[in-house]
Amino acid sequence: MSKKKNEGGITYPLGFRASGLVSGVKKNGKPDLSLIVSDADCVAAGVFTTNQIKAPAVRISSRRVRGSGIRAIVINSGNANACNGEAGERDALLIGEKLSLHLGCDPRKILLASTGVIGRPLDMEKIVSALPRLVDSASREGFEECARGIMTTDTRSKSAEAEGSVSGKKVRVGGIAKGVGMIHPQMATLLVFLTTDAAVEKEALKTILSQVADRTFNALTVDGDTSTNDTALILANGQADNLPVSKNSAGYQELFSLVLSVCESLRDQLVRDGEGVTKIIRIVVGGAKTRNDARKVAQSIARSLLVKTAFFGEDVNWGRIMVAVGNSGVRVYEERIDIFMGEVALVHRGVGLGALQEEKALEVMKKKEITLRVMLGIGSMEAEYWTTDLSVEYVHINAGYKGRT
Amino acid sequence: MSKKKNEGGITYPLGFRASGLVSGVKKNGKPDLSLIVSDADCVAAGVFTTNQIKAPAVRISSRRVRGSGIRAIVINSGNANACNGEAGERDALLIGEKLSLHLGCDPRKILLASTGVIGRPLDMEKIVSALPRLVDSASREGFEECARGIMTTDTRSKSAEAEGSVSGKKVRVGGIAKGVGMIHPQMATLLVFLTTDAAVEKEALKTILSQVADRTFNALTVDGDTSTNDTALILANGQADNLPVSKNSAGYQELFSLVLSVCESLRDQLVRDGEGVTKIIRIVVGGAKTRNDARKVAQSIARSLLVKTAFFGEDVNWGRIMVAVGNSGVRVYEERIDIFMGEVALVHRGVGLGALQEEKALEVMKKKEITLRVMLGIGSMEAEYWTTDLSVEYVHINAGYKGRT
């Protein structure tokens, strides 16, 4: 598998075009409307927010993605169109309908996503009148404009692509993302869009997307909130002409690796683009009975405010890590727990290893990217989770967001 | 039920004495060792941390509280004696043993509690050598010293008392508390000690304590962490000579009310004594199918960083409240949700009520104590939860705690 940077992103796979433009929804005049369109019908899959309050775009896309022949994804930023009652539902449907006229396809073949402020009516006039321009400007070269049009408080656009062989044919995967429930938590929305020219069966594509999402986007947190609009979608148009990938075919693992590679790159870009984030912490929990147990413990640590503020303050306070481990809901045994900061052993069998080790651990904590490893001493399963520190800047940003779309 | 302020606290009930002193464990020379002792054997009940990593004091007290004839509680502050391995267990047992010699009782009649830094060995010499003085100074007048000796970063000691009639006899309840997992979250330990001269059966006392704790101490959060040391204990010595209270006796509700009244006072004192806290928010969730559902939704709001920072910033961002409601795990219906800030309606049937209402709500948010009400429109059950804002000061405090015991 080779991977080329800054070349194609979402339009890197064959048969995809993209665009992005300024419709005027954002007061700051930045791009706020994006389109991804495939020349041919696509197999599609999606993972969506677990929040029970879902934006109309989420409800509509999660319904439509079950169907067949998906052709396009339209994304607006600056307004989440969430909690807008029936008007919000009508507006979202209307965007799809109007777009379908310009694309000449059934509206049910169009997926939608939105991100931005909650509870404000969409400026439909601006969006609808920008649609013809959005369709006309869609091109292979439009990947960067497309990535920009989905940004909110992101400081950089996020694109990635990978190519490799699937059942002996060259296959490409591309993707774009915006932060961020976890990075710019004030927006609390994560959007990820992926394309591939692989031929793949729907069930296989669904499994690939959900497993990759669990390992990447669903394994990071800044504040533990899940937005009304979180969405990850993948379109596969089969233009690579490979033998269609099924769950049991040889190509499955190859395609899985390509999608994982793109999503890991997007995750890394998301994590590094955090306002108010001074440190990134990779939490590895091992020695668990099950992967799910490991994940729960890692998540408990990742979400603990006391742990996150300790990282911000570069305070080697392993007691807080123990507290978070004990709060995870997973059965643990204090006397079996080992904790490492980077390569420095801090706790062995539940007991601190003393001041000298703490001094060494402090050197690790001064870095910007830190691996914290907790071994439970119960089984052999492992999971990782990404988190950030909790900084004074985080509070400043989040204490006064609404005014600045 | 009448209630007298600043008179007696933990020794307000008949037959209790108390003391508190400086053993030298705290580097700042503040009181760090307290004793509550009953002249007669007590019926006892306790509620303890749900964290699986428990300090030896918690493990020992939760075992002993099942027995009978409890005589005393000894509390040390400044060192949690948690995560100290077998040495920690030995030290805790030894404190009880030494104290039992001075009190002339079986060591199993002594309960223990600790609060402070995790993972540091107890200075046993200081504690053990202070025990004779601690026992000798125990008196009816020692309630204030006792309340001071359990403090960590509390700025004020917390005492409360109440008296009333139980089955026609005058009965007294007293209590002290320190914060707090929720108020001074860096300590992450809540300790509550209650005394009563009521005669009461063990099962009735257990039920009263657990129900009162659920309504008060277990319904508040700053950071959602549960400490290794959280403990609430109640001793009942029967000196009031009332007809023993059982679950089905007329006196049950009377005693329950007295205990609740003391704990509500202690909770209010805890909430108001928060470093880094600029606002206190009472969250009332109504219209739920069950009380537990209401509680879960209230807790989800109470723990949301985005909600807490919005309160700090006085930002009428009801979208964040909706997000937290949707993340609670309870089945909710967006189109039935109403939100009120104080008396100001902000959201009706899932839709925002506009800029004018938001301006009015902003006036409410400028206050120091705010009631947020969320109606789910499903059933008739209600629960409340207390939280605080998340301030810049919170991060400052928690980013560098360990050094300053």
Side-chain angles (χ1 to χ4, degrees):
Chain A
M1 172 174 48
S2 73
K3 193 172 152 188
K4 303 180 189 174
K5 280 273 173 204
N6 305 318
E7 189 192 322
I10 195 81
T11 60
Y12 191 62
L14 303 178
F16 286 97
R17 291 172 291 126
S19 55
L21 53 72
V22 177
S23 81
V25 163
K26 282 185 187 158
K27 287 171 196 147
N28 61 14
K30 289 193 177 167
D32 51 25
L33 195 61
S34 287
L35 176 69
I36 302 161
V37 60
S38 170
D39 297 338
D41 282 358
C42 295
V43 171
V47 292
F48 301 95
T49 181
T50 55
N51 197 307
Q52 286 192 57
I53 313 281
K54 296 180 208 301
V58 168
R59 292 197 296 261
I60 293 166
S61 293
S62 59
R63 214 158 53 221
R64 289 184 180 169
V65 84
R66 288 185 223 128
S68 59
I70 300 298
R71 286 290 303 281
I73 308 171
V74 59
I75 311 108
N76 77 286
S77 63
N79 186 324
N81 189 27
C83 302
N84 283 332
E86 286 171 22
E89 187 85 18
R90 265 199 314 272
D91 287 348
L93 285 169
L94 193 61
I95 292 171
E97 270 168 47
K98 295 284 183 189
L99 182 64
S100 74
L101 295 176
H102 299 296
L103 288 174
C105 73
D106 189 306
R108 285 169 298 183
K109 295 187 167 192
I110 294 172
L111 305 180
L112 303 158
S114 301
T115 177
V117 173
I118 291 176
R120 292 270 178 274
L122 265 188
D123 191 334
M124 283 297 284
E125 212 180 286
K126 284 179 180 153
I127 291 178
V128 168
S129 66
L131 290 176
R133 206 156 39 97
L134 190 70
V135 171
D136 289 347
S137 60
S139 72
R140 301 269 307 158
E141 290 69 40
F143 63 91
E144 180 56 30
E145 282 69 26
C146 181
R148 282 204 200 110
I150 68 171
M151 289 165 62
T152 50
T153 51
D154 304 65
T155 66
R156 288 186 290 274
S157 67
K158 285 118 192 139
S159 277
E161 56 283 312
E163 65 178 27
S165 166
V166 172
S167 318
K169 285 273 187 184
K170 195 189 213 188
V171 156
R172 297 151 204 86
V173 176
I176 57 175
K178 64 133 312 215
V180 54
M182 323 71 63
I183 310 301
H184 297 292
Q186 67 277 26
M187 289 308 289
T189 290
L190 172 68
L191 297 182
V192 179
F193 306 105
L194 303 163
T195 51
T196 178
D197 47 21
V200 50
E201 291 178 3
K202 195 172 189 79
E203 280 307 308
L205 192 65
K206 275 170 71 174
T207 308
I208 287 173
L209 181 64
S210 78
Q211 288 183 349
V212 167
D214 270 356
R215 287 216 206 164
T216 53
F217 309 113
N218 288 341
L220 75 148
T221 185
V222 163
D223 55 20
D225 269 318
T226 308
S227 121
T228 50
N229 292 55
D230 292 344
T231 299
L233 293 169
I234 184 166
L235 302 185
N237 66 8
Q239 301 290 291
D241 214 22
N242 59 303
L243 205 71
V245 172
S246 71
K247 273 190 175 179
N248 303 312
S249 70
Y252 181 86
Q253 195 54 48
E254 296 167 321
L255 184 58
F256 179 90
S257 300
L258 287 174
V259 176
L260 180 62
S261 147
V262 167
C263 289
E264 283 178 341
S265 168
L266 292 173
R267 176 203 56 202
D268 290 348
Q269 293 176 57
L270 286 165
V271 166
R272 282 169 182 76
D273 186 21
E275 258 180 57
V277 168
T278 77
K279 288 177 194 297
I280 294 158
I281 304 111
R282 176 170 160 258
I283 298 162
V284 182
V285 172
K289 204 168 154 191
T290 66
R291 204 182 116 71
N292 195 40
D293 278 2
R295 187 182 166 87
K296 272 169 140 176
V297 173
Q299 190 180 53
S300 179
I301 300 168
R303 290 188 176 177
S304 162
L305 296 202
L306 294 176
V307 171
K308 289 157 70 71
T309 45
F311 273 103
F312 174 63
E314 298 176 351
D315 179 9
V316 189
N317 197 327
W318 57 263
R320 293 182 180 181
I321 298 166
M322 291 289 276
V323 167
V325 171
N327 273 331
S328 67
V330 172
R331 187 82 189 94
V332 294
Y333 304 90
E334 181 181 341
E335 67 279 9
R336 298 192 199 171
I337 295 170
D338 291 350
I339 300 177
F340 300 83
M341 191 70 71
E343 300 298 315
V344 181
L346 258 180
V347 172
H348 184 53
R349 299 196 175 170
V351 180
L353 292 171
L356 191 66
Q357 291 306 99
E358 291 188 9
E359 276 168 39
K360 287 187 201 163
L362 179 60
E363 292 310 305
V364 178
M365 286 187 85
K366 286 181 179 166
K367 294 182 185 163
K368 285 204 67 168
E369 303 195 7
I370 302 155
T371 295
L372 169 69
R373 187 178 294 271
V374 176
M375 301 301 292
L376 300 179
I378 298 169
S380 61
M381 299 309 285
E382 186 174 298
E384 69 176 41
Y385 217 95
W386 294 72
T387 192
T388 61
D389 62 345
L390 178 60
S391 68
V392 168
E393 179 66 9
Y394 171 97
V395 178
H396 277 304
I397 293 169
N398 284 288
Y401 161 65
K402 204 172 182 184
R404 45 195 192 88
T405 313
Chain B
M1 172 175 46
S2 74
K3 192 172 151 188
K4 302 181 191 174
K5 278 278 171 201
N6 305 319
E7 189 191 323
I10 194 79
T11 60
Y12 190 63
L14 303 179
F16 286 97
R17 289 171 293 125
S19 55
L21 53 72
V22 178
S23 80
V25 163
K26 282 185 188 159
K27 288 171 195 146
N28 62 12
K30 290 193 177 168
D32 51 26
L33 196 60
S34 287
L35 176 70
I36 302 161
V37 59
S38 169
D39 298 337
D41 281 359
C42 295
V43 170
V47 293
F48 302 94
T49 181
T50 55
N51 197 308
Q52 286 192 56
I53 313 279
K54 295 180 208 301
V58 168
R59 291 198 296 261
I60 293 166
S61 293
S62 59
R63 214 159 52 222
R64 289 184 179 169
V65 84
R66 287 185 224 129
S68 59
I70 300 298
R71 286 288 303 282
I73 308 171
V74 59
I75 310 107
N76 79 284
S77 62
N79 186 324
N81 188 28
C83 301
N84 282 333
E86 285 171 21
E89 187 86 19
R90 265 198 315 273
D91 287 348
L93 285 169
L94 194 61
I95 292 172
E97 271 168 44
K98 295 283 184 191
L99 182 64
S100 74
L101 295 176
H102 300 296
L103 288 174
C105 73
D106 189 305
R108 286 169 298 183
K109 294 188 168 193
I110 293 172
L111 305 181
L112 303 157
S114 301
T115 176
V117 172
I118 291 176
R120 292 270 178 273
L122 264 187
D123 191 335
M124 283 297 285
E125 213 182 287
K126 285 180 180 154
I127 292 177
V128 168
S129 67
L131 289 176
R133 207 158 34 100
L134 190 70
V135 171
D136 289 347
S137 60
S139 72
R140 302 268 308 157
E141 290 70 42
F143 62 91
E144 180 56 29
E145 281 71 24
C146 182
R148 281 204 200 111
I150 68 170
M151 287 165 63
T152 49
T153 52
D154 304 64
T155 66
R156 289 185 290 273
S157 67
K158 286 116 191 142
S159 278
E161 57 283 310
E163 65 178 28
S165 168
V166 171
S167 318
K169 287 271 186 183
K170 195 190 211 188
V171 157
R172 296 151 204 87
V173 176
I176 58 174
K178 64 130 315 214
V180 73
M182 320 75 61
I183 309 301
H184 298 291
Q186 68 276 28
M187 290 308 290
T189 290
L190 172 70
L191 298 181
V192 179
F193 306 105
L194 303 163
T195 51
T196 178
D197 48 22
V200 50
E201 291 178 3
K202 194 173 189 76
E203 280 307 308
L205 193 64
K206 275 170 71 174
T207 308
I208 287 173
L209 181 65
S210 79
Q211 288 183 348
V212 167
D214 270 355
R215 287 217 206 164
T216 53
F217 310 113
N218 288 340
L220 74 148
T221 187
V222 162
D223 55 20
D225 270 318
T226 308
S227 122
T228 50
N229 292 54
D230 292 344
T231 299
L233 293 168
I234 185 164
L235 303 184
N237 66 8
Q239 301 289 292
D241 214 23
N242 57 304
L243 205 71
V245 172
S246 71
K247 272 189 175 181
N248 302 312
S249 70
Y252 182 86
Q253 194 54 48
E254 295 166 323
L255 184 58
F256 179 91
S257 299
L258 287 174
V259 175
L260 180 63
S261 146
V262 167
C263 291
E264 282 178 341
S265 168
L266 292 173
R267 177 204 55 203
D268 290 348
Q269 293 176 57
L270 286 165
V271 166
R272 281 170 183 76
D273 186 21
E275 259 179 57
V277 167
T278 76
K279 287 176 195 295
I280 294 158
I281 303 110
R282 176 170 161 258
I283 298 162
V284 182
V285 172
K289 203 166 153 191
T290 65
R291 205 182 114 72
N292 195 40
D293 277 2
R295 187 182 167 87
K296 273 170 140 175
V297 173
Q299 190 180 54
S300 179
I301 300 168
R303 290 188 175 178
S304 163
L305 296 202
L306 294 175
V307 170
K308 287 158 70 72
T309 46
F311 272 104
F312 174 62
E314 299 176 350
D315 179 8
V316 189
N317 197 328
W318 57 263
R320 294 181 180 182
I321 298 165
M322 291 290 276
V323 167
V325 170
N327 273 331
S328 68
V330 171
R331 187 81 190 96
V332 294
Y333 303 90
E334 181 181 340
E335 67 278 10
R336 299 193 198 170
I337 296 170
D338 292 349
I339 299 177
F340 300 83
M341 191 70 70
E343 300 299 316
V344 180
L346 258 181
V347 172
H348 184 54
R349 300 197 174 169
V351 179
L353 292 171
L356 190 66
Q357 291 305 98
E358 292 188 9
E359 277 167 38
K360 287 186 200 162
L362 179 59
E363 293 309 306
V364 178
M365 286 186 87
K366 286 181 178 165
K367 295 181 184 165
K368 284 203 68 168
E369 302 194 8
I370 302 156
T371 295
L372 169 67
R373 186 178 295 270
V374 176
M375 303 300 292
L376 301 179
I378 297 170
S380 60
M381 299 308 286
E382 186 173 297
E384 70 176 41
Y385 218 95
W386 293 71
T387 192
T388 61
D389 61 346
L390 177 60
S391 68
V392 168
E393 178 67 8
Y394 171 98
V395 178
H396 278 303
I397 293 168
N398 284 287
Y401 160 65
K402 204 172 182 185
R404 43 193 195 90
T405 313

